[in-house]
Amino acid sequence: GQNIDQPTEMTATEGAIVQINCTYQTSGFNGLFWYQQHAGEAPTFLSYNVLDGLEEKGRFSSFLSRSKGYSYLLLKELQMKDSASYLCAVKGSGNTGKLIFGQGTTLQVKP
Amino acid sequence: NAGVMQNPRHLVRRRGQEARLRCSPMKGHSHVYWYRQLPEEGLKFMVYLQKENIIDESGMPKERFSAEFPKEGPSILRIQQVVRGDSAAYFCASSPSGGNQPQHFGDGTRLSIL
C-alpha cells in the first residue's frame, strides 16, 4: 500500500526552529516534495529532494533518507506568517505524475 | 506572469445537477493534474492530463466524473449528478513537463452540494 505519515499539529514560538517529520511507504519513489498551504489558499512549493541529504533554501531546509523512508522540513527563525499547513508528498515511479500527499501538519507559531 | 487559474472559486449545486470546474495552467505548462481535498483530509490525486490526452486517471471515481484538456482552452473537470459527498475543494496543478519538476497549484474551487 501507499502511506505517508506526518504529525497532525505542531506549535512553536516566533524566532525558534521547528522540524516537521514525514515518513513514507510507497510502491516506487521518484522524489519527495514539501508544500506550504495557508487556510483557503493554494499549496505553494517549498522544496524537492530525490537524493539523500539536506537541501537548504533560505530559512527552509529539507532532508531525505531513502533507506529509512524519512524526510523532515526544518524551518528556522520562525515568523508569525509561517503559521500554515505543511504538506509532504511523494512521487511514485513511472510516468504517472501522481503526487501522494500526507494529511499535512498544521503549524501554529505563537508570539 | 499569471499562475494557475481556476474558476469558479466557489460553486454551489443541488443534488443531481452537474458541476463543471475549469483550470487554465501556467503559461508554458502543458501538463495538468486534478486533486480533491475533503475536509480534514489530505489532497488526493484524481487525474493527470496532457493536451488532448489522459495519462493517468487512477484516482477518478468510476462513475459521474470525467476530465478533459482540449487542444484549445482550459482543462475541465466535470461531475455529473452531484451528491453530498462530492462537496470538497478541487485543486488543479500544472507543470512544464511530466518529470520531477514541481507542480504549481491554483487556488482551488470549493464545491458545495445542497
Side-chain angles (χ1 to χ4, degrees):
Chain A
Q2 320 236 61
N3 195 45
I4 299 181
D5 283 319
Q6 309 177 231
T8 305
E9 296 178 342
M10 297 184 73
T11 303
T13 305
E14 191 176 15
I17 299 173
V18 71
Q19 177 175 310
I20 302 174
N21 296 324
C22 171
T23 58
Y24 64 90
Q25 292 175 302
T26 57
S27 54
F29 178 84
N30 208 9
L32 187 143
F33 297 80
W34 284 95
Y35 284 83
Q36 180 192 61
Q37 186 179 25
H38 285 98
E41 297 184 11
T44 55
F45 170 73
L46 291 177
S47 69
Y48 167 65
N49 296 70
V50 66
L51 299 176
D52 291 352
L54 189 68
E55 294 283 341
E56 297 186 80
K57 192 185 291 186
R59 293 190 300 115
F60 294 3
S61 304
S62 57
F63 172 83
L64 176 68
S65 169
R66 289 172 296 171
S67 61
K68 295 181 179 178
Y70 168 69
S71 173
Y72 68 72
L73 180 69
L74 194 70
L75 291 75
K76 302 176 188 175
E77 301 169 14
L78 280 173
Q79 303 174 8
M80 298 299 290
K81 67 178 182 179
D82 296 330
S83 294
S85 287
Y86 291 86
L87 314 179
C88 173
V90 171
K91 189 168 186 186
S93 52
N95 192 32
T96 169
K98 175 195 311 186
L99 288 179
I100 304 160
F101 280 87
Q103 285 198 248
T105 299
T106 300
L107 173 66
Q108 186 178 13
V109 180
K110 294 185 173 180
Chain B
N1 186 17
V4 177
M5 304 299 292
Q6 289 189 248
N7 69 81
R9 287 294 307 274
H10 301 274
L11 182 61
V12 180
R13 286 287 177 265
R14 296 189 180 279
R15 281 177 293 173
Q17 291 184 320
E18 177 180 287
R20 290 170 68 88
L21 287 61
R22 294 174 182 78
C23 169
S24 295
M26 284 180 71
K27 188 175 181 180
H29 288 195
S30 59
H31 296 245
V32 165
Y33 314 82
W34 285 94
Y35 293 83
R36 177 164 62 176
Q37 189 172 37
L38 293 167
E40 308 303 323
E41 293 189 17
L43 286 156
K44 300 283 191 233
F45 170 81
M46 299 182 75
V47 63
Y48 163 35
L49 310 104
Q50 294 179 39
K51 285 285 187 180
E52 300 184 279
N53 285 306
I54 296 175
I55 307 302
D56 180 356
E57 56 181 346
S58 59
M60 288 280 269
K62 295 287 185 259
E63 298 177 345
R64 303 188 297 109
F65 285 70
S66 62
E68 62 176 7
F69 189 17
K71 188 176 180 180
E72 301 290 338
S75 176
I76 306 287
L77 179 69
R78 182 199 292 183
I79 311 172
Q80 296 177 298
Q81 299 173 341
V82 296
V83 300
R84 287 253 170 88
D86 297 332
S87 295
Y90 291 82
F91 288 93
C92 170
S94 72
S95 66
S97 71
N100 291 335
Q101 293 167 310
Q103 296 174 17
H104 297 270
F105 284 79
D107 284 336
T109 294
R110 271 85 185 155
L111 176 64
S112 298
I113 309 302
L114 302 179

